Amino acid sequence: MFSSVLIANRGEIACRIARTARRLGLRIVAVYSEADAGAPFVRLADEAHLIGPPQASESYLAIDRLISMAQRAGADCIHPGYGFLSENPLFAEACAAAGIVFVGPPAASIRAMGLKDKAKALMQGAGVPVVPGYHGDEQDADFLSRAAAKIGYPVLVKAVAGGGGKGMRRVDRAEDFTEALHAARREAAAAFGDSRVLIEKYVATPRHIEIQVFADGFGRCIHLHERDCSLQRRHQKVIEEAPAPGMSSELRAAMGLAATAAAQAVGYVGAGTVEFIADASEGLRSDRFWFMEMNTRLQVEHPVTEAVTGLDLVEWQFRIAAGEALPLAQARVPLAGHAVEARLYAEDPERGFLPSTGKIIAFDLPDGEGIRIDTGVEAGSQVTPYYDPMIGKVIAHGSTRDEALDRLGAALARMRIAGPRTNLAFLIALSRAPEFRAGAFDTGFIARNLSALGAVPQPMDKAAAACGIDRLLRLEIEALTRTGAAFTPWDATDGFQLTGQRVITVPAAVDEELVLARATFGPDGPAVTVDGVSPAADAEIFDAERNGEVLLLRHGRQTIVRRADAAIADLDHEEGVALIKAPMHGKVLALFVAAGSKVAKGQRLAIIEAMKMEHMLSAPSDGVVAEVAASEGAQVAENAVVMRIEPDDGRE
């Protein structure tokens, strides 16, 4: 076994690797960017070193810096975690050249599976079923359009070097193909430095089922059963579980055999995941699953496999990388109960799941039987725009699927997080959705049920708004009282009302919407209502004095209330003038219009790139671009004005 490890990653996975490394007695070396100087994973290490500025390209993706740091720290091995350099063959080769063990597969295996088109051709040769499509080298747009027509719509355009849904577009009609192709290529080039794509048939009722495989250096390869990752949004996994609902022992054996054959075809060593798409239109069948890709690393969702097998997959990674043999034969791999994992993200489901940034004001984690929380943040941590917005994972294990889902839903309902907006309320609704509970779901389930899951703009929570305004008003009264002044709701401008109850209007911004609350003053102080609704008794208040804001949590949903005259100014605008603002902190990737351009409602205006994803800004109405306040390549803050559109007065 090794004596020390450098963890070439950050956040939740760095914490996860450190826990196992500590148990195995390894000295832990962490590297961190300037943005992560105060992160929990840094404190978990025996020693930690600054690796560079916040930008990943200059820190966590800087191969030379990481190798140099590992050599200086005397690390025996480097564990890449997932993401970043975990599937980069150049990094694996650099480790080998420096005499440092890469805790992962050989560079040749990574390279073989890293390009989806080559991998599919390799799998066909190994007898592994693959999805019908075009996986060749020709990249001419007209040729690809003809290939899509030959395959038959709908099709998927997928980045050759892709993963995580980046560089992927579904196309339902021939007339939409060219635009989707360009968008996929742009996103692929930005995420992977490779704009090449392949075309595949889109399966109408797809289930995403993956097999966890492990191989040692002695030619043995086994699988640790399957995970169902079908609950996805835009190809990003949201909830994963093991075993897969509806899976038979015969189908598990068939998929496991295909997965181990795939791994052995590339001389695999270590942990990997072979991902399949299954047509579930008539239930899961052994003749209706196809190879999609192989992830040559540990997966985000590996805890559900650990829960049902009782195994530590990171320990297995270390032991196999150290030259040990697989500790179990296939027939001895356990499968006990059911496990489910939900990914908690800093994002706003009510605004198209836009990433959210800022300081985490409060973060209280649930516990209980069968509950595990993997996270890399804490109260006081900053969620920045530089990295993936995942805050953590909630894993629940039970003797049955219903018990696991019950425990998951209860744990999510007990969780408290305030600061950036999160998908907590969405996860609660998803864990309780009747169709999902019944096993009647596929990869399109979330997209079809956004409204039922609360992932669309919601009406104002007036009870929470009243609670927040009441809190701010009382803080204002307390502050005045501390100065020695006597607070009175009466003023010199309306001295006609000298006694009785006094009613005043209190302006506030509730989630950026102007609200005029009613405050009635009596002997016991103010009583606030919003449209006749009194303050919620079950709303939890956090950080009531941060920038004159109140953050409230109620039913897993966060409401932000501001009481200030400036709030009115922020919300007012000239009639007919549209201010196009950045929905999140990010980079202006493209501008499609200039000052003076006439635009139509729905027309593309700009693309903002944040947290590795593209977000389109569109015109809310017809008009003329009066001003463009940002330039291509520039960084913009959340709510910064990108451009201003005025009504078209007909003048040329």
Side-chain angles (χ1 to χ4, degrees), residues 304-313 334-336:
V304 296
T305 296
E306 293 184 324
V308 296
T309 61
L311 304 172
D312 184 330
L313 272 60
L335 179 58

Side-chain angles (χ1 to χ4, degrees), residues 271-284:
T273 301
V274 182
E275 303 197 355
F276 296 97
I277 195 77
D279 182 351
S281 58
E282 298 180 46
L284 297 178

Side-chain angles (χ1 to χ4, degrees), residues 462-464 466-468 470 527-529 533-538:
K462 295 179 181 179
C467 183
D470 178 85
V528 174
T529 58
V533 179
S534 299
D538 61 347

